């Protein structure tokens, strides 16, 4: 109905009312008519004013309705109005967006049509209980989106009456809690991980080694109790700090400084194992052996390093002590082995001497003993025959043989004493010329026919030396010279730069050049002297005696031409 027809209708009703009261108006006086007219005009003005107020009130109501509509449609959560059968009576735009369906297609449609299978029963049970109690308690159901699949929604609401229709409806709020559920799951996972972390931390705190986790920037993210105790710091003083700059000393175990390259490989990752000193509080250093495990993500990107450290300070000290003890033990064993080797060598020498003595005695003793025996038999026969004039040569022969045996035994006794180191020296001052002449006279009876010993000394010489040792040396050298030579023997003595030189020269058989290096060895005899009487000990004894009196001996020899032995002796006042 148009506005003009409504006004015409209202006017017709008003004229009908006036006609009913026309009889009353006709009987009014003029004054009464004026008064009535004035009242009518006043009422007319009042009605106009009331109409204006009504129009303004209606306009405000329309504005409030529009605001309510905006609040209802554009609220951040979905709103639905459901009856007892869960038919959608009204729904806001947010709920429409959650379902992915326009509002015109939802009004008067069952809400259960947009719920996943198995959830309808939950909806109806809660809705029935709500209409009984007046409150729809919050519950969760899975709702289908037209194109995006399903999502978890939280529903809650209250029962109210529709004032127009006087019907009872349920006003329901609909909230998508999918992200909230995911957040709750993440929160639960975080709590679970936190508990696992605390549990792992408890296990790590019981470990006897240092455990820590560092990030790619080498900052400490986790450290166990052993690490804190060793550093003598609280965990709060360690966490977040650069591990190598604050807690690792780059002084090597051998004193040579370590570089970052010594603990990192070419990829910038920590080497699996290395040793370094840990800087503890109060500047204490502990030697540590580190084992490192690199942690990578699915893209092989470094996310951290797990480090385990063992304190090997005491073990290293023990190893050093063991090494030192081993070295000392090796030295002791080496010394004792050397001593045993020396003893074995001495035993071998003694054994060789015994064997050589037996061999030599069987050879050297046979001739003089045979000579003694034969001479004794002949002397006995000459005495029986009273041929006394023939006894003398055989007595001399026995004396010579006995002297020969005595010389052999003296050589052995001298060598034995020298080997054992029991020969002592006793120096004295004496005239060298008279000393050597006495020695030459001792050899007068031993010289071969037409053989002489020539002695040359240009000036008097006094020496300060052990007389007995020097005599034994010269006796051996002169004896060899006369034994191996048929011609004269030359003895020369002279002093040069406070050193006495004694030279003994013979024109005998000489010494083969290849055998000269063995000349002073015990029991050595050159091949060209095998058939000449001797023990092979004389020159070895001379070598020992020469050392005792701080002198030296040398020789020159040529096979078939003879030898010259030279003795040098420093002169001491």
């Amino acid at each position: 109905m148009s506005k003009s027809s409504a006004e015409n209708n209202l006017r017709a009703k008003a004229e009908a009312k006036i006609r009913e009261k026309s009889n009353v108006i006709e009987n009014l006086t003029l004054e009464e008519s004026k008064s009535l007219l004035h009242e009518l005009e006043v009422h007319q003005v009042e009605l106009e004013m009331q109409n204006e107020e009504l129009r303004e009130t209606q306009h405000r109501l329309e504005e409030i309705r529009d605001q309510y509509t905006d609040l209802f449609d554009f609220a951040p959560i979905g709103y639905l109005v459901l009856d007892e059968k869960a038919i959608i009576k009204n729904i806001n735009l947010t709920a429409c967006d959650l379902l992915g369906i326009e509002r015109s297609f939802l009004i008067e449609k069952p809400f259960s049509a947009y719920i996943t299978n198995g959830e309808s029963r939950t909806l109806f049970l809660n809705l029935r209980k709500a209409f009984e109690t007046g409150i729809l308690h919050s519950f969760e159901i899975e709702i289908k989106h037209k194109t995006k699949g399903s999502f978890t929604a939280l529903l809650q609401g209250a029962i109210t009456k529709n004032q127009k229709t006087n019907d009872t409806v349920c006003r329901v709020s609909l909230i998508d809690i999918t992200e909230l559920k995911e957040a709750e799951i993440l929160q639960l996972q975080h709590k679970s991980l936190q508990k696992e972390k605390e549990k792992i931390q408890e296990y790590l705190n019981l470990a006897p080694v240092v455990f820590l986790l560092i990030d790619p920037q080498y900052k400490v993210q986790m450290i166990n109790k052993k690490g804190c105790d060793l550093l003598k710091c609280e965990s709060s003083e360690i966490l977040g700090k650069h591990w190598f700059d604050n807690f690792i000393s780059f002084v090597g175990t051998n004193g040579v400084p370590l570089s970052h390259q010594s603990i990192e490989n070419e990829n910038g990752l920590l080497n699996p194992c290395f040793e370094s000193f840990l800087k503890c509080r109060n500047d204490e250093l502990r030697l540590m052996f580190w084992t490192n495990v690199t942690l990578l993500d699915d893209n092989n990107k470094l996310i951290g390093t797990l480090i385990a450290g063992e304190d090997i300070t005491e073990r290293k000290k023990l190893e050093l002590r063991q090494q030192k003890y081993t070295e000392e033990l090796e030295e002791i064993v080496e010394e004792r082995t050397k001593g045993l080797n020396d003893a074995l060598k001495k035993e071998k020498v003694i054994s060789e001497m015994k064997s050589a003595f037996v061999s030599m005695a069987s050879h050297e003793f046979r001739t003089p003993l045979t000579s003694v025996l034969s001479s004794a038999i002949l002397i006995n026969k000459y005495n029986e025959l009273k041929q006394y004039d023939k006894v003398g040569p055989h007595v001399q022969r026995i004396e010579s043989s006995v002297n020969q045996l005595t010389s052999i035994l003296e050589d052995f006794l001298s060598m034995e004493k020298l080997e054992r180191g029991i020969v002592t020296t006793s120096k004295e001052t004496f005239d060298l010329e008279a000393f050597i002449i006495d020695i030459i006279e001792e050899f007068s009876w031993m010289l071969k026919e037409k053989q002489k010993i020539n002695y040359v000394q240009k000036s008097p010489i006094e020496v300060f030396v052990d007389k007995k040792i020097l005599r034994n040396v010269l006796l051996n050298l002169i004896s060899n010279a006369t034994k191996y030579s048929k011609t004269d023997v030359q003895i020369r003595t002279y002093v040069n730069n406070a050193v006495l030189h004694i030279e003994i020269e013979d024109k005998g058989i000489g010494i083969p050049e290849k055998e000269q290096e063995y000349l002073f060895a015990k029991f050595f005899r050159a091949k060209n002297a095998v058939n000449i009487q001797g023990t092979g000990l004389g020159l070895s004894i001379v070598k020992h005696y020469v050392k005792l009196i701080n002198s030296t001996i040398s020789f020159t020899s040529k096979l078939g031409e003879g030898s010259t032995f030279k003795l040098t002796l420093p002169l001491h006042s």
Side-chain angles (χ1 to χ4, degrees):
M1 183 182 293
S2 63
K3 185 177 180 182
S4 58
S5 60
E7 289 177 353
N8 292 332
N9 223 358
L10 183 63
R11 182 177 181 82
K13 291 179 179 179
E15 287 178 351
K17 291 278 186 183
I18 291 172
R19 281 196 297 271
E20 291 176 358
K21 298 179 179 181
S22 60
N23 295 327
V24 177
I25 296 172
E26 289 176 356
N27 298 322
L28 291 176
T29 61
L30 181 61
E31 289 297 328
E32 289 177 341
S33 296
K34 288 181 180 179
S35 175
L36 181 61
L37 182 61
H38 176 72
E39 288 294 329
L40 288 173
E41 289 177 351
V42 171
H43 282 297
Q44 184 178 357
V45 171
E46 288 178 350
L47 285 173
E48 288 177 356
M49 291 175 66
Q50 287 177 357
N51 287 336
E52 183 66 26
E53 289 179 359
L54 287 173
R55 282 193 292 273
E56 290 179 0
T57 301
Q58 184 178 3
H59 180 67
R60 284 199 299 275
L61 287 173
E62 289 176 353
E63 286 181 350
I64 290 171
R65 185 192 62 188
D66 292 340
Q67 289 176 2
Y68 167 77
T69 302
D70 290 341
L71 287 173
F72 179 74
D73 282 336
F74 301 107
I77 60 176
Y79 288 113
L80 300 99
V81 179
L82 303 176
D83 63 10
E84 293 185 8
K85 296 181 180 180
I87 302 299
I88 301 174
K89 296 299 182 178
N90 199 2
I91 186 170
N92 70 343
L93 295 178
T94 303
C96 295
D97 290 339
L98 290 174
L99 297 174
I101 302 174
E102 293 182 7
R103 180 158 41 195
S104 59
F105 294 102
L106 292 172
I107 300 298
E108 298 299 331
K109 298 293 191 302
F111 184 54
S112 58
Y114 310 104
I115 299 175
T116 58
N117 296 332
E119 296 284 353
S120 298
R121 178 177 174 81
T122 303
L123 172 65
F124 285 115
L125 288 176
N126 282 279
L127 196 60
R128 181 190 299 172
K129 190 173 183 180
F131 276 99
E132 291 175 357
T133 61
I135 298 174
L136 180 66
H137 295 286
S138 60
F139 65 98
E140 297 176 9
I141 57 173
E142 289 290 320
I143 295 179
K144 294 182 293 187
H145 187 279
K146 185 177 181 181
T147 58
K148 297 180 181 179
S150 62
F151 64 91
T152 303
L154 177 68
L155 275 67
Q156 60 182 359
I159 304 300
T160 60
K161 281 190 177 183
N162 191 330
Q163 294 179 353
K164 293 182 179 179
T165 61
N166 203 28
D167 296 331
T168 304
V169 295
C170 182
R171 300 184 184 276
V172 183
S173 65
L174 178 67
I175 304 173
D176 183 357
I177 59 170
T178 304
E179 293 183 358
L180 182 62
K181 294 290 286 186
E182 291 176 353
E184 287 179 356
I185 293 172
L186 290 175
Q187 189 175 9
L188 290 174
Q189 290 176 346
H190 176 72
K191 288 180 179 179
S192 177
L193 289 174
Q194 188 67 28
K195 288 181 180 179
E196 288 295 326
K197 181 181 177 182
E198 292 173 357
K199 196 172 183 180
I200 292 171
Q201 185 73 45
E202 289 178 2
Y203 289 137
L204 292 179
N205 287 338
L206 296 174
V209 297
V210 177
F211 278 108
L212 68 143
L213 178 67
I214 59 174
D215 62 16
Q217 288 74 41
Y218 298 149
K219 292 183 178 180
V220 182
Q221 300 301 314
M222 183 273 293
I223 188 167
N224 68 340
K225 187 175 184 299
K226 178 67 176 180
C228 296
D229 293 344
L230 205 58
L231 288 167
K232 296 181 177 62
C233 297
E234 298 294 331
S235 60
S236 58
E237 301 176 86
I238 303 170
L239 296 177
K241 291 187 178 179
H242 195 285
W243 176 245
F244 293 103
D245 289 348
N246 292 280
F247 305 106
I248 296 297
S249 171
F250 284 89
V251 177
T253 55
N254 54 359
V256 179
L258 294 174
S259 62
H260 279 283
Q261 287 74 21
S262 63
I263 62 174
E264 292 179 341
N265 58 28
E266 61 276 5
N267 298 323
L269 304 177
L270 293 181
N271 291 327
C273 299
F274 64 87
E275 290 183 7
S276 73
F277 282 105
L278 183 69
K279 293 191 294 186
C280 306
R281 185 163 283 174
N282 302 328
D283 297 327
E284 181 185 0
L285 294 177
R286 305 292 296 181
L287 183 59
M288 305 292 295
F289 179 79
W290 303 105
T291 302
N292 310 296
V293 179
T294 301
L295 305 178
L296 305 175
D297 61 11
D298 295 337
N299 298 321
N300 287 328
K301 184 179 179 182
L302 177 65
I303 59 176
T305 305
L306 183 63
I307 302 177
E310 181 185 2
D311 186 356
I312 59 172
T313 307
E314 300 304 324
R315 190 179 77 188
K316 205 73 172 180
K317 290 179 181 178
L318 181 60
E319 288 177 357
L320 291 174
R321 286 198 295 268
Q322 288 177 341
Q323 182 179 355
K324 185 178 180 181
Y325 175 74
T326 302
E327 291 174 355
E328 291 175 351
L329 191 60
E330 288 176 353
E331 289 178 1
I332 292 171
V333 171
E334 186 177 352
E335 289 177 1
R336 292 185 179 179
T337 303
K338 184 178 179 182
L340 289 172
N341 289 335
D342 292 341
L344 288 172
K345 287 180 182 178
K346 289 181 181 179
E347 184 68 26
K348 186 177 180 181
V349 169
I350 293 171
S351 178
E352 289 175 354
M353 286 181 67
K354 289 179 180 178
S355 300
F357 176 77
V358 173
S359 176
M360 182 275 302
S362 64
H363 179 270
E364 296 295 331
F365 284 15
R366 183 180 294 111
T367 300
L369 288 174
T370 302
S371 179
V372 169
L373 180 60
S374 61
S375 294
I377 293 172
L378 289 173
I379 289 172
N380 190 34
K381 287 183 178 181
Y382 288 146
N383 285 334
E384 289 178 355
L385 298 173
K386 297 182 180 182
Q387 296 177 358
Y388 300 115
D389 56 333
K390 295 182 180 181
V391 172
H394 289 289
V395 172
Q396 290 180 354
R397 187 180 176 188
I398 289 172
E399 288 178 353
S400 176
S401 297
V402 170
N403 288 332
Q404 185 179 346
L405 289 171
T406 302
S407 176
I408 293 170
L409 292 173
E410 283 181 352
D411 283 349
F412 270 96
L413 291 173
S414 297
M415 178 54 73
E416 193 269 339
K417 290 180 180 179
L418 289 168
E419 291 284 352
R420 290 170 59 189
I422 60 175
V423 179
T424 58
T425 59
S426 177
K427 295 182 179 182
E428 58 181 294
T429 302
F430 56 91
D431 180 66
L432 182 63
E433 185 176 5
F435 174 71
I436 293 179
I437 290 173
D438 287 341
I439 295 174
I440 293 173
E441 289 178 354
E442 288 186 30
F443 281 95
S444 58
W445 63 275
M446 297 176 58
L447 297 175
K448 299 180 180 71
E449 187 179 356
K450 296 182 180 181
Q451 188 181 42
K452 294 189 299 182
I453 298 175
N454 300 317
Y455 173 47
V456 178
Q457 180 176 309
K458 295 182 179 180
S459 59
I461 301 173
E462 280 192 349
V463 293
F464 180 66
V465 71
D466 189 301
K467 193 173 184 179
K468 183 179 178 181
I469 290 177
L470 183 59
R471 182 178 181 277
N472 287 336
V473 171
L474 294 177
L475 283 173
N476 269 286
L477 294 177
I478 295 171
S479 174
N480 286 341
T482 58
K483 185 191 303 183
Y484 297 114
S485 177
K486 294 182 180 180
T487 60
D488 294 350
V489 174
Q490 304 293 326
I491 300 176
R492 293 181 295 273
T493 59
Y494 60 93
V495 177
N496 184 13
N497 294 329
V499 177
L500 172 63
H501 297 263
I502 302 176
E503 295 178 356
I504 300 171
E505 180 183 0
D506 67 69
K507 300 297 181 180
I509 61 175
I511 306 166
E513 185 177 355
K514 291 183 180 180
E515 298 181 0
Q516 289 181 7
E517 60 179 308
Y518 308 110
L519 190 60
F520 293 99
K522 291 188 293 291
F523 302 109
F524 173 76
R525 304 200 71 200
K527 291 180 180 179
N528 59 344
V530 174
N531 297 323
I532 300 174
Q533 183 182 2
T535 62
L537 291 174
L539 289 178
S540 180
I541 292 171
V542 167
K543 188 74 173 178
H544 282 81
Y545 279 144
V546 165
K547 288 182 180 179
L548 286 174
I549 59 174
N550 196 28
S551 60
T552 60
I553 187 169
S554 60
F555 72 93
T556 58
S557 181
K558 194 170 184 181
L559 188 63
E561 295 183 8
S563 304
T564 300
F565 284 81
K566 186 174 183 180
L567 184 70
T568 58
L569 176 66
L571 294 177
H572 299 288
S573 58

